[in-house]
């Protein structure tokens, strides 16, 4: 079992002076809405969250930590385990389906007074691997706070441990005040960075709502209200071996597969020449990426087999079936023109999702109105070429947007970091959205 030990208490100790200074600065920027002691606690909690190396199948310790924080707030908390038997039967589940025991999502719930719609707040606890430690300015799981920059550093600082810290702070505020107008349901999920199966399991278990905000993927001046389609697949190419001294008698699988991938890439990128709005906001929402390439010949022999794994994003009106058919056609055309054995495209066992467009709800306009009265930059909502758990809410007819966790940089890259002044700003904004749902 892939358990990570909880970082030691000593590793969690940061300078109280640093956190006091951070809290004073944040408090002044929020005009005293949250006292310095509280903001210091939130910043410290974010730093602790970053210190968990919660990569795929090693998320047990961070889940235990968050469950403990929810318990200390006196908020109802429910486990949603990763059950392979359940997942295997769910439409929308993506591979791989993990069998590592003890993995779970968490759902916290604050009952409302019944005067308003319910709101789901969704964040994720998993992170992508950090890559080489030497590429980082600070150790990737240190949760280092840089006072000069007013930032917290480390893998997941922005994507999405800041989202989890914000969600916990919202629960803390709601737990110590009067009931919110409507139920507030908070998902702390796993596998956002791999399959998206965590949110799927939470919704399948009945933890839905009338609207949803996913705290992931945006920096405070732009929200996401729809997604491109996403498709991962493999291409296998079988050539013909021959001695390298008479290579013209063989078919080099590595070279031919490389040519085919270039043609597939050109076909996908050519679709960017005529885009429907709002996809015209992007220079190239249709993307083709070769992620892996493997091939090897026997000694002194032309290689006769090669395989690549690729990732494609595609925007409406294209569908998943249409994009697969188009790529198959490119491969068939290449084989006919070059008189070579056909390549085999492998779809099974790979991530694949349709373009996503949830129904429109009230939350985006509320966010815009709240931000318009603040010192934030104006917020626009539009499409994204990435992927997220939004698709599961859309499948259930739940209006959903991505907004937050705020300003930060380099998610999935070295030196990922998050600007701490956005932590209380986002907490305040979400509390205002919850209150406005009750005022409609």
């Amino acid at each position: 079992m892939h358990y990570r030990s909880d970082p030691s208490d000593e590793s969690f100790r940061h300078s109280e002076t640093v956190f006091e200074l951070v809290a004073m600065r944040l408090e002044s920027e929020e005009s005293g809405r949250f006292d310095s002691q509280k903001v210091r606690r939130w910043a410290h909690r974010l730093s602790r969250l970053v210190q968990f190396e919660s990569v795929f199948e090693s998320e047990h310790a961070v889940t235990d930590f968050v469950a403990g924080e929810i318990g200390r707030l006196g908020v109802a908390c429910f486990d949603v385990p990763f059950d392979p038997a359940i997942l295997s039967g769910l439409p929308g589940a993506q591979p791989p389906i993990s069998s590592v025991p003890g993995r779970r999502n968490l759902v916290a719930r604050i009952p409302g007074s019944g005067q308003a719609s319910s709101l789901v707040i969704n964040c994720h606890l998993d992170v992508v691997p950090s890559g080489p430690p030497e590429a980082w300015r600070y150790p990737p799981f240190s949760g280092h706070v840089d006072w000069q920059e007013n930032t917290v550093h480390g893998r997941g600082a922005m994507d999405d441990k800041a989202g989890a810290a914000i969600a916990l702070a919202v629960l803390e505020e709601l737990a110590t005040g009067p009931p919110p107008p409507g139920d507030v349901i908070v998902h702390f999920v796993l596998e956002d960075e791999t399959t998206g199966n965590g949110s799927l399991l939470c919704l399948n278990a009945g933890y839905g709502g009338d609207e949803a905000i996913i705290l992931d993927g945006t920096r405070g001046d732009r929200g996401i209200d729809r997604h491109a389609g996403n498709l991962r697949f493999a291409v296998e190419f079988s050539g013909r071996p021959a001695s390298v001294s008479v290579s013209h008698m063989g078919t080099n699988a590595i070279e031919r597969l490389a040519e085919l991938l270039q043609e597939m890439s050109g076909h996908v990128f050519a679709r960017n020449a005529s885009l429907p709005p709002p996809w015209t906001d992007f220079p190239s929402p249709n993307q083709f990426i070769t992620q892996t390439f493997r091939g090897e010949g026997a000694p002194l022999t032309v290689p006769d087999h090669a395989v690549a794994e690729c990732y494609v994003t595609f925007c409406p009106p294209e569908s998943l079936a249409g994009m697969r058919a188009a790529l198959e056609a490119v491969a068939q055309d290449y084989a006919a023109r070059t008189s070579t054995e056909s390549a085999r495209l492998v779809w099974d066992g790979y991530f694949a999702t349709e373009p996503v467009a949830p129904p429109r709800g009230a939350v985006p306009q509320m966010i815009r109105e709240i931000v318009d009265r603040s010192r934030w930059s104006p917020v626009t909502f539009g499409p994204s070429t990435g992927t997220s758990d939004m698709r599961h809410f859309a499948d259930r007819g739940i209006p959903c947007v991505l907004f937050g966790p705020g300003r930060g940089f380099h998610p999935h890259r070295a030196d990922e970091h998050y600007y701490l002044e956005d932590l209380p700003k986002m907490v305040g904004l979400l509390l205002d959205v919850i209150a406005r749902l009750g005022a409609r």
Side-chain angles (χ1 to χ4, degrees):
M1 291 187 295
H2 301 264
Y3 283 84
R4 295 270 181 187
S5 60
D6 188 2
S8 68
D9 288 340
E10 182 62 33
S11 71
F12 282 153
R13 291 199 184 101
H14 292 270
S15 165
E16 289 300 307
T17 302
V18 169
F19 278 105
E20 188 65 49
L21 290 170
V22 171
M24 289 172 60
R25 177 170 172 177
L26 298 183
E27 181 186 22
S28 66
E29 294 198 1
E30 275 297 292
S31 303
R33 180 170 184 175
F34 305 113
D35 65 70
S36 61
Q37 188 74 16
K38 182 177 294 182
V39 175
R40 180 175 66 183
R41 184 168 62 249
W42 295 347
H44 187 225
R45 185 185 284 149
L46 172 55
S47 176
R48 294 188 68 175
L49 284 166
V50 173
Q51 294 186 21
F52 292 96
E53 191 174 349
S54 49
V55 295
F56 179 60
E57 297 187 330
S58 297
E59 314 94 342
H60 302 76
V62 73
T63 307
D64 291 344
F65 172 77
V66 172
E69 293 294 290
I70 296 170
R72 276 187 280 276
L73 298 175
V75 175
C77 184
F78 309 92
D79 287 351
V80 181
F82 277 84
D83 186 328
I86 292 176
L87 264 178
S88 297
L90 290 181
Q94 296 286 339
I97 294 179
S98 173
S99 60
V100 172
R103 300 174 68 242
R104 56 184 171 141
N105 308 286
L106 301 173
V107 177
R109 180 176 177 270
I110 302 280
S113 62
Q115 300 172 356
S117 304
S118 57
L119 179 69
V120 175
I121 298 173
N122 178 289
C123 61
H124 67 88
L125 301 177
D126 59 312
V127 299
V128 298
S130 64
E134 59 271 18
W136 292 73
R137 185 165 29 146
Y138 305 107
F141 294 102
S142 65
H144 177 83
V145 175
D146 188 319
W147 166 239
Q148 295 299 320
E149 296 180 351
N150 200 24
T151 49
V152 60
H153 290 252
R155 172 57 77 229
M158 179 184 180
D159 185 16
D160 187 34
K161 298 297 178 65
I166 291 163
L168 286 168
V170 169
L171 287 173
E172 180 179 328
E173 290 298 290
L174 295 176
T176 56
D183 291 354
V184 176
I185 304 99
V186 182
H187 298 172
F188 297 89
V189 304
L190 307 182
E191 296 196 12
D192 172 274
E193 298 290 13
T194 50
T195 67
N197 290 341
S199 293
L200 175 63
L201 284 167
C202 289
L203 291 169
N204 182 69
Y207 297 111
D210 295 313
E211 297 206 36
I213 299 175
I214 298 178
L215 299 174
D216 186 25
T218 73
R219 292 179 179 161
D221 61 353
R222 182 176 174 83
I224 296 171
D225 61 7
R226 71 196 74 184
H227 276 296
N230 293 264
L231 172 61
R232 194 164 185 255
F233 62 100
V235 188
E236 295 181 352
F237 199 103
S238 296
R240 187 168 58 249
S243 169
V244 293
S245 61
V246 286
S247 61
H248 60 281
M249 299 180 66
T251 302
N252 190 316
I254 291 176
E255 294 175 357
R256 292 299 176 87
L257 179 55
E259 291 176 350
L260 174 57
L261 294 175
Q262 285 295 313
E263 293 202 10
M264 286 183 169
S265 177
H267 174 82
V268 172
F269 278 97
R271 291 166 173 253
N272 294 313
S274 57
L275 297 171
W279 297 98
T280 47
D281 292 350
F282 297 92
S284 57
N286 296 286
Q287 294 271 327
F288 183 100
I289 304 95
T290 300
Q291 293 189 295
T292 68
F293 193 111
R294 301 183 300 276
E296 185 176 358
L300 300 178
T301 303
V302 172
D304 63 347
H305 186 264
V307 60
E309 292 177 316
C310 307
Y311 201 101
V312 169
T313 67
F314 56 96
C315 63
E318 188 60 270
S319 67
L320 191 57
M323 179 53 71
R324 283 173 167 165
L327 293 169
E328 291 276 13
V330 173
Q332 292 168 8
D333 177 70
Y334 178 83
R337 285 188 290 105
T338 58
S339 300
T340 59
E341 295 80 353
S342 294
R344 186 171 79 94
L345 277 63
V346 181
W347 311 112
D348 291 344
Y350 288 97
F351 187 91
T353 62
E354 299 279 7
V356 178
R360 294 184 180 274
V363 166
Q365 182 58 29
M366 290 179 181
I367 291 174
R368 282 190 290 261
E369 291 172 356
I370 293 166
V371 169
D372 284 347
R373 294 201 310 272
S374 72
R375 290 174 293 172
W376 290 33
S377 300
V379 175
T380 59
F381 284 85
S384 168
T385 55
T387 185
S388 80
D389 292 356
M390 174 188 285
R391 63 187 183 277
H392 300 308
F393 294 91
D395 287 344
R396 288 157 179 77
I398 300 173
C400 178
V401 294
L402 271 70
F403 187 73
R407 291 177 305 127
F409 293 90
H410 309 314
H412 294 210
R413 292 179 287 167
D415 284 336
E416 182 177 353
H417 56 280
Y418 178 76
Y419 282 91
L420 284 169
E421 60 260 34
D422 284 358
L423 183 58
K425 286 181 178 180
M426 282 296 304
V427 174
L429 182 141
L430 289 173
L431 293 172
D432 288 343
V433 167
I434 291 167
R436 277 174 169 258
L437 283 171
R440 285 195 296 168

